[in-house]
Amino acid sequence: RADITKADFELASQMRPDHPVAVTTQLPKLNLLAQQINRTPLPPIPTQCYSGVLLPPKRHQLTARTFDVVSGAQVAQRMVQPKPSI
């Protein structure tokens, strides 16, 4: 949900460590709240998806490699080579 209610603010203020009511006394209440929220089932997997969950394109995946592994020899070779002039 996108909206924040007064109850959300009250719960957040009660969870502060310096609040008179300790967090440990709120654990049963949080457990019930978590059980209620977790009762909502996950959305079904689309039928056009044959191999499981549909992933975003490669460029939007965080699992894509974002670096290149170079050996010490490659680094040394690059340092010795003259840079091209523009």
Side-chain angles (χ1 to χ4, degrees), residues 34-67:
Q35 287 177 358
Q36 180 183 6
I37 290 173
N38 290 335
R39 279 190 194 125
T40 306
L42 294 173
I45 296 174
T47 56
Q48 72 270 16
C49 234
Y50 300 110
S51 61
V53 178
L54 185 62
L55 296 174
K58 275 274 195 203
R59 67 180 186 275
H60 296 297
Q61 291 180 14
L62 295 177
T63 57
R65 195 167 109 188
T66 60
F67 59 91

Side-chain angles (χ1 to χ4, degrees), residues 13-81:
S13 69
Q14 290 174 3
M15 293 296 108
R16 291 180 46 181
D18 59 344
H19 192 270
V21 178
V23 174
T24 54
T25 61
Q26 296 292 324
L27 286 179
K29 181 179 178 182
L30 288 175
N31 190 18
L32 289 173
L33 182 63
Q35 287 177 358
Q36 180 183 6
I37 290 173
N38 290 335
R39 279 190 194 125
T40 306
L42 294 173
I45 296 174
T47 56
Q48 72 270 16
C49 234
Y50 300 110
S51 61
V53 178
L54 185 62
L55 296 174
K58 275 274 195 203
R59 67 180 186 275
H60 296 297
Q61 291 180 14
L62 295 177
T63 57
R65 195 167 109 188
T66 60
F67 59 91
D68 291 324
V69 178
V70 294
S71 68
Q74 289 174 327
V75 173
Q77 186 179 15
R78 287 184 187 168
M79 291 175 71
V80 175
Q81 289 179 347

Side-chain angles (χ1 to χ4, degrees), residues 1 4-15 29 33:
R1 76 180 188 197
I4 298 174
T5 64
K6 182 179 177 184
D8 295 327
F9 283 117
E10 289 173 356
L11 180 62
S13 69
Q14 290 174 3
M15 293 296 108
K29 181 179 178 182
L33 182 63

